[in-house]
C-alpha cells in the first residue's frame, strides 16, 4: 500500500510560522507532482501549492511570498514552510502525491490524513 503521513500542524499566533512535512511510503516507483491543499470549516478543499519532481513550484496567490515548498526526493518528502501566518490560513492541510505504483507502473494520486493548522489573533 501507499501511505502519506503529514506532520507539523499546530497552533500559532498571527505572524508566526509553521513547517509542514509529508512523507510518502510504500511500493512507489516514482513520484511526480506533490501538492498541499487546505480546507477550512464550511469551505471546499483548495490547492495551496504544488511542486514537480524537478523542483518547479506554483503557489496560490494568497500565499505567494509567505509559503515555500521544498522537496527531498531521496526521502520522498515534501515540506511547506509557512511564514507570516494570517487569520485566513487556519484549515486542515492535506498532502497529495501523484505516484507511479511499482507493480503496475500506473499513476495514482494519494492523499494524506490531514494536519490541523490554527492561527490565533
Amino acid at each position: 500500500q501507499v501511505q502519506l503521513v503529514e506532520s507539523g500542524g499546530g497552533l500559532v499566533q498571527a505572524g508566526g510560522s509553521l513547517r509542514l512535512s509529508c512523507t510518502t511510503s510504500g511500493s512507489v516507483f516514482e513520484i511526480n507532482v506533490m501538492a498541499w491543499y487546505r480546507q477550512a470549516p464550511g469551505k471546499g478543499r483548495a490547492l495551496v501549492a504544488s511542486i514537480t519532481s524537478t523542483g518547479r513550484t506554483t503557489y496560490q496567490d494568497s500565499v505567494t511570498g509567505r509559503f515555500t515548498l521544498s522537496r527531498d526526493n531521496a526521502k520522498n518528502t515534501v515540506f511547506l514552510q509557512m511564514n507570516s501566518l494570517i487569520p485566513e490560513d487556519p484549515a486542515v492541510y492535506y498532502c497529495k502525491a501523484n505516484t507511479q505504483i511499482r507493480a503496475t507502473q500506473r499513476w495514482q494520486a494519494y492523499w494524506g490524513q490531514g494536519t490541523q493548522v490554527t492561527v490565533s489573533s
Side-chain angles (χ1 to χ4, degrees):
Q1 64 179 22
V2 176
Q3 183 178 7
L4 274 62
V5 178
E6 302 128 323
S7 63
L11 172 65
V12 65
Q13 289 188 328
S17 299
L18 287 173
R19 190 190 192 207
L20 307 183
S21 65
C22 173
T23 299
T24 302
S25 63
S27 299
V28 176
F29 178 74
E30 187 176 347
I31 304 175
N32 194 349
V33 176
M34 300 186 73
W36 285 96
Y37 291 73
R38 65 186 180 186
Q39 186 168 13
K43 304 292 185 179
R45 188 173 298 184
L47 177 67
V48 176
S50 64
I51 184 168
T52 70
S53 60
T54 57
R56 297 191 302 273
T57 56
T58 58
Y59 298 92
Q60 197 270 336
D61 288 344
S62 67
V63 307
T64 298
R66 300 188 298 117
F67 291 10
T68 302
L69 270 185
S70 61
R71 181 168 179 164
D72 186 340
N73 289 333
K75 298 180 179 179
N76 291 332
T77 299
V78 64
F79 305 94
L80 182 65
Q81 179 68 47
M82 305 187 296
N83 298 326
S84 302
L85 287 161
I86 60 178
E88 289 76 15
D89 294 325
V92 177
Y93 283 70
Y94 296 90
C95 180
K96 179 185 178 183
N98 187 24
T99 67
Q100 187 176 31
I101 306 301
R102 188 176 301 275
T104 65
Q105 299 296 293
R106 291 185 174 183
W107 290 91
Q108 176 67 51
Y110 288 88
W111 292 86
Q113 80 286 351
T115 185
Q116 178 71 53
V117 172
T118 303
V119 180
S120 62
S121 300

